[in-house]
Amino acid sequence: MSATPLDYLFSSAGRRADVTLPLTWFMLIVSVVVCLVVAGLLLGSLRGAKGGGAAETAAEPVRRDHAGGLRWITIGLAISSVPLLISLIWTMAALAQVAGPPRRPEMTIDVTAHQWWWEADYHGTEPADSFVTANEIHIPVGVPVEIRLRGGDVIHSFWVPQLAGKTDTIPGQQNIAWLEARRPGIFRGQCAEYCGAEHAKMGFEVVAQPMAEFQRWRQDQLQPAPPPATQAQRQGYALTMARCGLCHAIRGTSATARGGPDLTHLMSRRLIAAAMLPNNPGALGGWIQDPQGVKPGALMPAQHLSGEQLTDVIAYLETLQ
Amino acid sequence: MRTPDIGAVTDALRTRLHAIWETEPGWRGWLSTVDHKEIGLRYIVTAFLMLIIGGIEALVIRLQLAGPDLRLLTPEQYDQFFTMHGMTMIFLYASPILSGFSNYLWPLLLGSRDMAFPRLNAFSYWVYLAAAIFLYSGFVVGAGPDDGWFNYVPYAERNYSPGPNQDIYALGMMLLGISTTVGAANFIVTAFKMRAPGMAINRLPILIWGTLTASVANLIVVPAVSLAFFLLWMDRQFGTGFFQPALGGQPLLWQHLFWLFGHPWVYAIVLPAMGMVSDGLPVFCRRPLAGYSLVALSTVATMILGFGVWVHHMFATGLPALSLSFFSGASIIITVPSAVAVFAWLATIWTGRPVITTAFLFYASMILLFVIGGVSGFMTASVPADWQLTDTYFVVAHIHYVLIGINVFPVVGATYFWFPKMSGRFLDERLGRWNFWTMFLGFNLGFLPMHLTGLLGMPRRIWTYSDGMGWDGLNLITTIGSFLFAAGVLIFFVNVAKSLRSGAPANDNPWDAPTLEWSIPSPPPPYNFAVIPTIASRHPLWENRLQESRARSTLDRGMTLDHGKETLTTTPMDAEPERIVEMPEDSYAPLLLTAGLATLFAGLALKAWPIAGTSGLLVFAALLFWLWPRRQLLERAPAHG
């Protein structure tokens, strides 16, 4: 990750962002030049101007209007119409390139935005080939991937600046975005439409991998959770089913709720809490015990576990590789 | 029909008119006055008060964002603060302040004794005040609107926002819509009927063009947003489901209705301010405005194009690329009429002999701020670029350059310019320089780097952010700039307070300006013009020097119209005299009607149906009282003498 993970002015790594970036730069440069020219003209117009108040104003004689004014307007408009026209044509050309993928996407991921996390459904040709994950979306490099955006609760917006611009997720309609990463890497995503208390920390990551690596990840994700092995894991398992299972699903167990992120391969993810915290036992424990302190307004309730119980739960969660 | 008396301005006439037009002193007069100058000043004072409140909210927001992961506010509080800030500045400051200046100035600029509908004018102010209090009633008890000024559904629906927060916003906006609508109707009729004889349509000051254009737009688009808020209120109260997909509704319908209103509204709150610059700059450049006709036409053209660009607020909503390209093109083209105004102002300064007063500094710097806000708007007009830019701080920077640059700077400049007319005293020029430079530097320090914050990906409306995103330093700079800017605004108010008491006295026309308001005393008498002037050019007070034609305006001799509270109406295009109209006396009806409406809306907000029903009857009674026919208000006075 770079020092500015959501920046779209200095880095792009996907086909859509690649097309947009030079257009943005062109318009930015035109804009800066226009501002500098106007600032220059303003300063120039004040040459020989005198400062003062009402007395100085009233003392200055009034001059007649002359044709020079109109010439300013016509010449000014003629000059400004050139960059306007170029921008207009470039905009339409770029729009044609980024609006849809160059060829039929080989792969579709259903992404549903929730207050305040992201659900990603990977569909195979049959049910056994399908799985659900959250807040970390893996895609293969070099091929267009279709993202079907389904509105969950309120309006959100799907945005991975270094790969592509925003597409809103709107309840009651399905919007289509597409991503094509040019190189492998981890790209930061963020909800970009105001959606309530934790809109600020509604992040996610897109992991672009070479196809073989992506397929391996996919195979891993298809596996159900292993049964608990040690005593601590077994105790943790029971607690997890009783508490976490009310909202979360863990495939291969009795926890099947879909109110929160699927936890089947929780430990395979780099970050937790919608890309807010690093995924390590300390952060995980803090998040389980005090989600409201970490992220005020989040919909996850505090669990009030004893120290021992927490250790057990984490021991079990750590098996969800 | 009666033949009006023609006469010169005499002391006897002034005394007679004063007695006819003066508002009764004391609280009775205060509650019942329909004098447009009094109403205009109330608008201005209230709107500036809202600017202070909205500004304090902004400073709290900036403190919360000064560094990463600060916890000055909870997310819920932050959401109310940014919503109230936006709503206050856009609805309760930016538009009313312009209504205030226009209310005060229009009859003076037009050579009339009042607006077309003085009681409606008073009503419009009272309802604005009631709506402002109403909209703040939830916030002060911790239940203010918290879904942004744009109030997107379904987040604003009851299942996601169960408290009274959005009910108050929805009802308050409907109430405010009444004020805006009647105000707009009043401006339109005034512009076309209440001009001095000879003030043909091509002799109107640009401020008139700006407010007239904005008023026509408001009359067309305010119903869209009032309807949207009404549907939302129905959804929330009765589960109608207009915006609920589960009930067959459409969340995007809200966005269309809102932005169909919202974008023209942006022009409505800048065009009159651009008019202030178009009228004020020439005075300090000592020459007429360059390209008057083009500037007037571009004002109207901006608005017409402005009706066709609302979808650029919705580029990311998944609409088909073909329709996006239409709105993208329109949004790029709309820069053309704005460019006309910019080049006209630049030409006016270049070919004039500018005198740098405080008002001039505010007006001239507005040109640069306008261009900065314009080019960032031009960037967001491009769909692919906008898919990255939208909903980031780049757009926050854009909207602040537009609203502060094209509204606040001209308004403060206009205050320096017209304060002598309103109060008979000058604002202090020395303090004015401090005021200008603090505001100008603070504003640019705060908001210029914000463009980069947005380009580095900071989303809007986030209550906090993590470190490691690259935004820490930029946000700190913005916070410092905001406080400097606020200090500049404070200096402005200090200057106003100081100058009201001890400012240097001003004569009738201290700047040697060309328009009608400067031909009457400062401050103006209750009747404005002792005789109705006859106008022969765009610059009645500069005619002898400009020598544009042989015709001369007549300002010291004209219709005396002193048989009652009388003024003249003229034809819409050429301003030929049409008839003498009797203007209404001061009246409690506007206040009563407002009280009825306010309690009606309060009843609806509290779901206290008996109160709402009773207030409905009060509204009806107040309307009856208002509209009861009175013989003296018949337009055709019998012939006499």
Side-chain angles (χ1 to χ4, degrees):
Chain A
M1 301 290 283
S2 69
T4 50
L6 286 176
D7 133 58
Y8 51 90
L9 189 65
F10 300 106
S11 39
S12 74
R15 189 187 281 264
R16 293 177 71 194
D18 289 347
V19 171
T20 307
L21 187 124
L23 171 64
T24 308
W25 268 105
F26 171 74
M27 296 181 84
L28 187 62
I29 289 168
V30 167
S31 300
V32 171
V33 169
V34 168
C35 292
L36 290 177
V37 167
V38 169
L41 288 175
L42 259 180
L43 285 178
S45 70
L46 298 181
R47 273 174 314 125
K50 57 178 188 190
E56 289 77 6
T57 308
E60 191 70 32
V62 170
R63 304 166 107 198
R64 299 181 65 163
D65 195 3
H66 59 81
L70 271 186
R71 213 162 39 234
W72 268 79
I73 298 175
T74 44
I75 294 175
L77 280 186
I79 295 174
S80 22
S81 63
V82 175
L84 276 185
L85 211 60
I86 297 176
S87 308
L88 190 61
I89 294 168
W90 194 336
T91 290
M92 298 308 160
L95 179 59
Q97 278 182 284
V98 297
R103 55 202 155 95
R104 245 183 87 81
E106 291 160 26
M107 198 183 128
T108 298
I109 306 169
D110 282 335
V111 172
T112 312
H114 300 274
Q115 282 178 320
W116 291 278
W117 60 283
W118 301 85
E119 176 184 330
D121 294 51
Y122 287 75
H123 298 283
T125 44
E126 49 192 300
D129 265 354
S130 306
F131 63 90
V132 179
T133 181
N135 298 332
E136 188 177 298
I137 299 170
H138 288 241
I139 58 170
V141 168
V143 296
V145 176
E146 183 179 71
I147 308 284
R148 278 200 302 223
L149 293 165
R150 297 189 302 193
D153 34 42
V154 301
I155 297 178
H156 305 269
S157 194
F158 179 84
W159 185 36
V160 196
Q162 289 169 13
L163 295 180
K166 303 171 186 81
T167 310
D168 293 350
T169 76
I170 299 174
Q173 75 182 59
Q174 177 174 272
N175 280 345
I176 306 288
W178 61 280
L179 301 176
E180 184 181 323
R182 174 166 35 82
R183 61 174 169 81
I186 299 173
F187 305 102
R188 178 96 190 175
Q190 166 71 32
C191 175
E193 184 61 81
Y194 174 68
C195 56
E198 278 304 339
H199 165 56
K201 297 285 172 87
M202 187 171 161
F204 62 102
E205 287 190 326
V206 171
V207 181
Q209 300 167 299
M211 187 54 97
E213 207 178 299
F214 171 76
Q215 290 299 357
R216 267 202 306 283
W217 173 82
R218 186 179 180 126
Q219 286 310 315
D220 289 344
Q221 295 288 315
L222 283 169
Q223 305 306 314
T230 68
Q231 177 64 19
Q233 287 170 8
R234 271 193 293 277
Q235 280 165 0
Y237 171 80
L239 274 168
T240 304
M241 290 304 115
R243 306 282 192 94
C244 315
L246 295 177
C247 298
H248 296 276
I250 301 175
R251 251 176 304 123
T253 73
S254 60
T256 54
R258 296 189 68 166
D262 185 292
L263 301 180
T264 312
H265 294 279
L266 174 66
M267 299 320 283
S268 73
R269 297 176 204 153
R270 217 172 71 84
L271 304 171
I272 56 168
M276 182 184 176
L277 302 172
N279 191 358
N280 59 48
L284 190 56
W287 172 237
I288 293 170
Q289 282 297 66
D290 186 18
Q292 296 306 315
V294 175
K295 214 171 179 176
L299 298 182
M300 176 149 148
Q303 293 305 317
H304 307 292
L305 300 173
S306 69
E308 199 178 335
Q309 286 175 318
L310 184 62
T311 318
D312 292 344
V313 166
I314 290 177
Y316 172 67
L317 291 179
E318 284 191 299
T319 68
L320 303 176
Q321 293 294 331
Chain B
M1 299 290 282
R2 122 184 173 218
T3 314
D5 301 328
I6 306 287
V9 181
T10 60
D11 286 342
L13 176 64
R14 284 193 180 279
T15 314
R16 205 155 55 240
L17 286 171
H18 200 100
I20 294 172
W21 283 83
E22 194 187 25
T23 290
E24 188 185 350
W27 64 270
R28 282 201 187 82
W30 200 84
L31 293 177
S32 64
T33 184
V34 296
D35 183 340
H36 72 96
K37 298 180 289 297
E38 177 62 27
I39 294 166
L41 288 175
R42 285 178 190 182
Y43 257 111
I44 292 172
V45 169
T46 313
F48 273 138
L49 205 63
M50 298 317 296
L51 178 72
I52 295 173
I53 295 172
I56 292 170
E57 286 157 2
L59 293 181
V60 175
I61 290 173
R62 284 318 314 172
L63 283 178
Q64 165 67 19
L65 294 176
D69 287 319
L70 297 182
R71 293 276 174 107
L72 178 67
L73 298 174
T74 66
E76 290 80 7
Q77 289 167 336
Y78 182 87
D79 294 345
Q80 290 188 31
F81 265 87
F82 89 74
T83 303
M84 294 305 287
H85 168 68
M87 179 204 83
T88 304
M89 292 309 198
I90 292 169
F91 295 121
L92 302 180
Y93 160 74
S95 171
I97 191 75
L98 299 177
S99 298
F101 273 94
S102 290
N103 256 315
Y104 189 97
L105 291 168
W106 267 43
L108 308 183
L109 293 169
L110 295 174
S112 171
R113 283 180 179 162
D114 207 329
M115 299 279 287
F117 305 115
R119 286 175 300 179
L120 210 54
N121 210 15
F123 175 64
S124 158
Y125 170 75
W126 289 123
V127 173
Y128 155 55
L129 181 67
I133 295 170
F134 189 92
L135 285 164
Y136 262 86
S137 62
F139 183 62
V140 293
V141 296
D146 57 0
D147 187 17
W149 73 285
F150 51 94
N151 208 53
Y152 274 6
V153 294
Y155 186 67
E157 293 277 5
R158 201 167 50 183
N159 38 353
Y160 298 105
S161 184
N165 316 47
Q166 304 306 328
D167 292 328
I168 289 170
Y169 193 41
L171 291 166
M173 287 300 294
M174 283 187 261
L175 190 56
L176 186 63
I178 296 173
S179 162
T180 314
T181 305
V182 298
N186 201 357
F187 280 127
I188 294 170
V189 176
T190 303
F192 286 115
K193 298 302 293 180
M194 306 298 286
R195 310 199 301 259
M199 186 175 278
I201 198 111
N202 60 347
R203 291 174 182 161
L204 296 176
I206 302 289
L207 173 61
I208 305 282
W209 280 108
T211 310
L212 172 63
T213 309
S215 300
V216 173
N218 281 342
L219 219 48
I220 295 171
V221 298
V222 168
V225 80
S226 295
L227 172 72
F229 277 107
F230 178 67
L231 297 182
L232 174 64
W233 183 74
M234 295 277 284
D235 267 17
R236 293 178 56 86
Q237 294 306 316
F238 309 113
T240 43
F242 289 106
F243 306 119
Q244 298 255 47
L247 300 171
Q250 250 290 4
L252 271 193
L253 174 62
W254 172 271
Q255 298 192 18
H256 281 293
L257 287 174
F258 188 85
W259 291 119
L260 203 59
F261 150 83
H263 202 84
W265 180 263
V266 175
Y267 293 111
I269 57 185
V270 298
L271 288 176
M274 289 165 67
M276 291 170 166
V277 175
S278 295
D279 293 340
L281 262 185
V283 174
F284 299 105
C285 296
R286 313 307 293 158
R287 53 150 294 158
L289 176 70
Y292 167 91
S293 308
L294 281 177
V295 174
L297 283 175
S298 75
T299 305
V300 178
T302 301
M303 202 71 243
I304 292 172
L305 286 172
F307 287 124
V309 298
W310 81 91
V311 167
H312 72 213
H313 297 269
M314 302 168 60
F315 280 161
T317 55
L319 295 170
L322 187 66
S323 56
L324 294 187
S325 58
F326 167 80
F327 288 97
S328 187
S331 307
I332 290 178
I333 297 305
I334 203 169
T335 50
V336 172
S338 304
V340 169
V342 168
F343 290 118
W345 295 328
L346 285 173
T348 305
I349 306 181
W350 267 90
T351 57
R353 292 205 194 100
V355 181
I356 303 175
T357 61
T358 306
F360 175 85
L361 284 171
F362 276 101
Y363 288 154
S365 63
M366 171 272 192
I367 301 174
L368 181 62
L369 303 180
F370 179 50
V371 169
I372 298 176
V375 291
S376 57
F378 149 76
M379 286 181 68
T380 55
S382 166
V383 179
D386 184 68
W387 278 339
Q388 294 282 21
L389 297 168
T390 188
D391 280 315
T392 69
Y393 263 78
F394 187 86
V395 180
V396 182
H398 164 69
I399 194 177
H400 284 89
Y401 268 90
V402 170
L403 290 182
I404 294 178
I406 324 181
N407 184 299
V408 176
F409 273 75
V411 160
V412 174
T415 311
Y416 277 88
F417 184 51
W418 277 301
F419 193 83
K421 179 51 61 188
M422 295 172 171
S423 70
R425 292 179 185 280
F426 284 104
L427 283 171
D428 188 88
E429 281 285 321
R430 222 178 107 79
L431 212 50
R433 297 304 200 276
W434 280 96
N435 173 10
F436 169 74
W437 286 109
T438 320
M439 273 177 70
F440 184 76
L441 295 176
F443 173 63
N444 286 294
L445 177 67
F447 289 89
L448 208 53
M450 193 186 273
H451 292 98
L452 185 59
T453 319
L455 292 165
L456 294 182
M458 178 160 164
R460 302 174 79 169
R461 300 156 188 148
I462 55 174
W463 74 283
T464 189
Y465 53 93
S466 309
D467 59 357
M469 304 303 285
W471 309 327
D472 307 7
L474 288 167
N475 272 300
L476 186 60
I477 293 172
T478 293
T479 299
I480 294 169
S482 310
F483 274 83
L484 191 58
F485 177 66
V489 178
L490 183 66
I491 296 175
F492 170 62
F493 289 118
V494 168
N495 198 351
V496 169
K498 179 173 161 287
S499 303
L500 272 178
R501 283 182 292 125
S502 59
N507 61 22
D508 294 358
N509 189 5
W511 311 108
D512 184 28
T515 38
L516 277 184
E517 79 274 30
W518 303 105
S519 68
I520 56 173
S522 310
Y527 48 87
N528 298 349
F529 296 88
V531 297
I532 304 295
T534 307
I535 305 306
S537 77
R538 233 172 259 157
H539 307 98
L541 307 185
W542 280 2
E543 280 165 359
N544 286 330
R545 285 170 279 174
L546 292 178
Q547 300 283 351
E548 283 167 332
S549 76
R550 283 220 298 278
R552 290 290 177 269
S553 305
T554 316
L555 306 177
D556 49 1
R557 198 178 159 75
M559 297 183 203
T560 50
L561 303 184
D562 56 349
H563 295 282
K565 228 178 157 185
E566 294 170 329
T567 190
L568 187 74
T569 62
T570 50
T571 57
M573 299 309 285
D574 298 328
E576 305 279 356
E578 216 172 38
R579 56 172 56 110
I580 300 166
V581 284
E582 183 84 29
M583 302 304 276
E585 295 298 324
D586 290 349
S587 161
Y588 293 107
L591 183 61
L592 277 180
L593 183 55
T594 307
L597 277 173
T599 40
L600 170 64
F601 276 75
L604 293 176
L606 296 167
K607 302 183 182 103
W609 310 118
I611 294 182
T614 322
S615 334
L617 291 176
L618 181 59
V619 168
F620 185 69
L623 275 172
L624 270 185
F625 173 55
W626 184 326
L627 298 172
W628 204 259
R630 261 156 289 188
R631 179 175 295 275
Q632 92 237 23
L633 284 185
L634 290 179
E635 280 195 356
R636 286 167 194 277
H640 82 108

